[in-house]
């Protein structure tokens, strides 16, 4: 399966990865680099709203446990688990970026290999905040 990214999300993620301090470049960063390298990049206006992109809200179900999770995918400085906002650099963020509602994604997460079904995707407007904060504080 090949992820689908909008041109602006590709540029944002690519810039984030290039500017990330070396001590923060771990396994997830390497996996995200591989994912965006193989992604299909399409025009922003052509991206379907049922594809998980930056700022998308989505619901996934972990198939073996039946656990349902709802999150919004955001840049690292916007991540806040209390508000269900996860970073693009988190294992789940890397696993799901660019995949569409209805798809099942198999990915190695901290709890082991998981099968995740994407039940719902909703495009949301960007979260405003200080973009400079991304170089100071990174939550994964």
């Amino acid at each position: 399966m090949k992820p689908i990214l909008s041109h602006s999300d590709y540029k944002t993620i690519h810039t984030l990865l290039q500017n990330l301090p070396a001590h923060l470049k771990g396994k997830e960063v390497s996996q995200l680099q591989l994912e965006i390298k193989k992604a299909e990049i399409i025009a922003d206006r052509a991206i379907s709203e049922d594809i998980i992109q930056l700022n998308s809200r989505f619901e996934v179900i972990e198939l073996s446990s039946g656990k349902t999770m709802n999150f919004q995918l955001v840049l690292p400085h916007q991540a806040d688990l209390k508000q269900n906002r996860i970073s693009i650099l988190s294992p789940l963020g890397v696993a799901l970026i660019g995949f569409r509602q209805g798809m099942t994604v198999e990915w190695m997460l901290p709890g082991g290999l998981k099968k995740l079904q994407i039940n719902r995707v909703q495009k949301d407007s960007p979260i405003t905040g200080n973009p400079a904060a991304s170089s100071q504080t990174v939550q994964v």
Side-chain angles (χ1 to χ4, degrees):
M1 289 188 297
K2 194 162 132 174
I4 300 169
L5 296 177
S6 68
H7 187 261
S8 62
D9 274 6
Y10 174 80
K11 282 177 48 179
T12 300
I13 295 166
H14 184 72
T15 301
L16 171 71
L17 294 175
Q18 282 186 319
N19 295 324
L20 208 57
H23 71 279
L24 295 175
K25 292 186 178 182
K27 178 183 170 190
E28 279 76 27
V29 170
S30 297
Q31 287 176 321
L32 183 56
Q33 286 172 322
L34 290 173
E35 288 296 298
I36 69 165
K37 217 176 258 188
K38 69 180 182 181
E40 178 183 345
I41 312 301
I42 63 174
D44 290 10
R45 67 188 180 291
I47 194 96
S48 173
E49 292 199 8
D50 69 345
I51 295 174
I52 297 176
Q53 299 292 302
L54 286 173
N55 300 310
S56 291
R57 294 183 185 278
F58 61 91
E59 178 183 277
V60 294
I61 185 166
E62 200 276 300
L63 293 178
S64 66
S65 70
K67 182 179 178 182
T68 300
M69 299 168 278
N70 290 284
F71 293 108
Q72 181 177 20
L73 187 63
V74 297
L75 292 172
H77 71 278
Q78 299 166 322
D80 183 346
L81 276 180
K82 289 179 183 170
Q83 294 183 23
N84 292 335
R85 294 194 308 226
I86 61 166
S87 169
I88 182 63
L89 299 179
S90 69
L92 191 59
V94 173
L96 297 176
I97 183 78
F99 292 105
R100 160 178 322 240
Q101 182 173 305
M103 294 181 86
T104 300
V105 177
E106 208 171 273
W107 199 261
M108 185 60 75
L109 295 173
L113 185 65
K114 303 289 182 186
K115 271 189 173 179
L116 305 163
Q117 181 177 336
I118 303 168
N119 285 345
R120 184 179 49 81
V121 177
Q122 174 187 342
K123 186 68 177 157
D124 210 6
S125 57
I127 297 169
T128 57
N130 179 1
S134 63
S135 61
Q136 298 165 1
T137 306
V138 175
Q139 293 178 314
V140 181

